[in-house]
Amino acid sequence: MSTLLYVAAGAVSLYVIVYYAVFRGVRCVSSVKLKGKTAIVTGSNTGIGKATALDLAKRGARVILACRNKEKAEAASFDIRRESGNNDVVFMQLDLASLKSVSSFAETFLKTEPRLDILINNAVYTLCSGVMGPGRTEDGFGLALGVNHLGHFLLTNLLLERLQQCGPSRVITVAALLHRFGKIDFPLLASKKDLVSGQSTWHNFQAYCNSKLCNVLFTRELANRLEGTSVTCYSLHPGVIYTEICRSLSFWQQLLIMPFAKLFFMDPEGGSQTTLYCALQEGIEPLSGRYFSNCALQQVGAKGRDDALAKKLWETLRCLL
């Protein structure tokens, strides 16, 4: 019996050490208040986007939930207003898979909102949510490239002047550690409007990695173009998050994955911490264009540090849009 107790105690201790050291992550401890500031959070009807929007609302910001699904976004707006006590939380329609929708959102926002202080490019087509699968955007781009990068690329450019007018302001783009496995094939991009050649499971995984590399390169080039202005920008890895990753899996897949996910993956609040750090932390302005994880500066993969690649990608995409 004593041996079993020792084994159980050891297992619990190991779990606590691994969870807190590797999975749980660091908390954003900024006490910054945002009264009078306006923030946009894309994909904020659920997951880390909703947790991010809630924190910003608690700090007094006017928060725009930029989402595709009206019903879910209005429900999220209600939840956030109730929990934060801030009634300045509103939904605006945005479908990142449609460049027309992105342009319409930006036009409406610029007509109705006098300020923009924080733009958080959070929405993503994920590997496991059942959203990112075979198919193309309304404009013929691959889904991962179109939603994870192109929609945010256009949105940021359309709102850049307002961000500059309201500076100091920030652009935060949620990337991922998997950007290290990404690559940019310019001939393929020009011919197929995508960075992968097929639609298999492997191609979908590669498309996700490629789109996350695009996020990192975009942030780097944006920082270079904004040097000397009052707008700074950052990309980040949010951590391994337990949100809706199992909703499209079979019963047996869920049975295998969910216990591990429940034990080790971060919840949405934990996953929002590095986003909040990049949006709120004072003194990181000299680090514009850099990449963060666990609320700290991190080194990106070699391709993510290539300024020439970042510039070429920016100019290529501008020609395609």
Side-chain angles (χ1 to χ4, degrees):
M1 181 62 72
S2 59
T3 302
L4 288 175
L5 287 175
Y6 281 125
V7 170
V12 170
S13 299
L14 180 62
Y15 167 72
V16 170
I17 291 169
V18 171
Y19 177 74
Y20 281 91
V22 179
F23 292 98
R24 186 175 187 273
V26 179
R27 313 296 287 185
C28 173
V29 296
S30 172
S31 59
V32 167
K33 300 299 181 185
L34 298 173
K35 189 69 175 176
K37 306 288 188 181
T38 297
I40 294 174
V41 186
T42 68
S44 43
N45 62 291
T46 189
I48 64 174
K50 184 178 178 181
T52 301
L54 174 60
D55 188 281
L56 298 177
K58 286 180 177 179
R59 295 171 188 267
R62 176 169 174 79
V63 183
I64 311 297
L65 306 188
C67 306
R68 179 176 58 89
N69 188 302
K70 180 179 180 180
E71 183 179 350
K72 289 184 179 179
E74 288 183 339
S77 300
F78 176 81
D79 291 343
I80 293 170
R81 287 194 296 266
R82 180 187 58 194
E83 191 169 341
S84 67
N86 180 352
N87 289 321
D88 230 2
V89 179
V90 297
F91 157 66
M92 288 181 63
Q93 186 92 39
L94 173 64
D95 182 357
L96 289 161
S98 164
L99 298 180
K100 181 180 178 181
S101 175
V102 175
S103 297
S104 177
F105 172 92
E107 182 180 359
T108 301
F109 179 87
L110 293 173
K111 284 181 179 177
T112 59
E113 299 289 338
R115 296 196 61 86
L116 179 56
D117 303 274
I118 302 171
L119 171 60
I120 299 180
N121 295 322
N122 165 82
V124 61
Y125 270 10
T126 66
L127 289 169
C128 304
S129 67
V131 181
M132 196 198 83
R136 307 189 77 81
T137 70
E138 180 179 286
D139 306 280
F141 293 95
L143 275 176
L145 174 66
V147 175
N148 292 356
H149 181 62
L150 276 181
H152 286 131
F153 176 84
L154 178 60
L155 179 67
T156 304
N157 276 282
L158 292 175
L159 298 177
L160 204 50
E161 185 176 346
R162 180 60 51 83
L163 284 161
Q164 291 173 317
Q165 292 169 353
C166 299
S169 53
R170 297 186 181 185
V171 178
I172 294 90
T173 301
V174 179
L177 184 64
L178 288 173
H179 78 272
R180 292 177 176 273
F181 298 102
K183 56 186 178 181
I184 310 295
D185 185 332
F186 287 102
L188 191 61
L189 179 58
S191 63
K192 294 205 172 226
K193 289 188 174 183
D194 205 351
L195 291 172
V196 292
S197 57
Q199 296 182 343
S200 67
T201 299
W202 167 251
H203 284 115
N204 288 339
F205 172 77
Q206 188 64 58
Y208 178 83
C209 298
N210 295 346
S211 70
K212 296 292 103 180
L213 175 60
C214 288
N215 292 159
V216 172
L217 291 170
F218 163 70
T219 300
R220 195 171 184 93
E221 177 62 14
L222 181 62
N224 290 336
R225 290 171 181 257
L226 292 174
E227 187 174 0
T229 73
S230 59
V231 183
T232 54
C233 52
Y234 314 91
S235 63
L236 64 103
H237 170 57
V240 184
I241 317 300
Y242 176 73
T243 53
E244 297 178 302
I245 61 170
C246 297
R247 69 185 179 188
S248 64
L249 301 179
S250 71
F251 171 78
W252 294 110
Q253 289 173 321
Q254 291 186 37
L255 202 61
L256 288 171
I257 293 174
M258 287 186 71
F260 180 83
K262 288 275 193 181
L263 283 172
F264 291 108
F265 291 2
M266 287 190 286
D267 61 14
E269 183 185 0
S272 69
Q273 296 305 301
T274 303
T275 299
L276 293 167
Y277 178 89
C278 291
L280 303 169
Q281 185 64 34
E282 297 171 316
I284 64 170
E285 291 81 4
L287 301 175
S288 182
R290 305 291 291 277
Y291 170 83
F292 291 77
S293 179
N294 260 341
C295 296
L297 181 67
Q298 301 289 340
Q299 184 72 284
V300 296
K303 289 189 284 289
R305 301 192 299 271
D306 189 332
D307 283 330
L309 181 63
K311 183 176 182 179
K312 183 177 180 180
L313 177 64
W314 183 292
E315 293 174 346
T316 301
L317 293 178
R318 287 298 295 265
C319 292
L320 288 175
L321 295 182

